[in-house]
Amino acid sequence: MSKTLSTELAAHYASGNTTLARLWKLTRRDGTVYGFTDHDAAITYSGVAYEASSVFDASAISTSQNLNVDNMDAQGLLDSAGITAADLEAGLWDGATVAIVEVNYRDLTMGHNPLRFGTLGEVQRDGQTFTAELRGLMYALQQNIG
């Protein structure tokens, strides 16, 4: 995932008057792809339909310049047909890959700003809510093998 912004998107950020939406693309280990956005309307971007949803309320996204593991928590409600209690209990979402990008929802041709890429850790469910840890790419390097 490249961190280079298009000239148009960079100018949009610099304008101070932005129309931005975050897109969450989740790919489960079984290959099923889901898209969610924090925008109030659905967005189709790069062939993925992003459902307008309150599924995710993410903690602040922060990235360090050293080799620390960058993790964040995502909390949400089971309000999407794609995320069911049964699938969470079965562990189908554990290890799903996650790509979070930001787009100008009024002009998707500007491209996107990649914010985070990683995998979901174990997903915990409590009634109609769930919590999932988003593990950054450095997480895999800190695992003991053998």
Side-chain angles (χ1 to χ4, degrees):
M1 185 177 279
S2 172
K3 284 283 192 180
T4 304
L5 297 180
S6 70
T7 305
E8 296 85 1
L9 189 57
H12 183 67
Y13 276 106
S15 75
N17 186 16
T18 60
T19 52
L20 301 172
R22 285 190 181 171
L23 307 178
W24 292 66
K25 179 181 175 185
L26 289 92
T27 307
R28 294 189 331 193
R29 289 179 298 171
D30 64 5
T32 307
V33 176
Y34 295 87
F36 303 100
T37 179
D38 61 2
H39 188 49
D40 60 0
I43 296 173
T44 299
Y45 180 72
S46 291
V48 176
Y50 293 88
E51 173 185 337
S53 174
S54 60
V55 170
F56 289 100
D57 177 24
S59 60
I61 296 175
S62 64
T63 302
S64 60
Q65 293 181 3
N66 53 24
L67 294 179
N68 290 342
V69 176
D70 294 326
N71 292 341
M72 65 182 264
D73 289 330
Q75 298 175 339
L77 296 171
L78 296 174
D79 73 345
S80 167
I83 299 179
T84 66
D87 287 351
L88 291 174
E89 294 294 327
L92 294 179
W93 288 95
D94 297 349
T97 60
V98 181
I100 306 171
V101 300
E102 202 166 50
V103 297
N104 175 358
Y105 60 82
R106 291 203 176 167
D107 187 355
L108 297 173
T109 65
M110 289 184 175
H112 64 268
N113 177 15
L115 300 177
R116 175 71 77 231
F117 185 83
T119 58
L120 289 183
E122 183 180 350
V123 180
Q124 307 270 328
R125 186 175 74 85
D126 182 18
Q128 287 300 107
T129 64
F130 66 89
T131 302
E133 179 186 30
L134 175 59
R135 298 172 176 165
L137 294 175
M138 296 303 294
Y139 179 83
L141 297 177
Q142 293 198 346
Q143 299 306 301
N144 293 327
I145 299 173

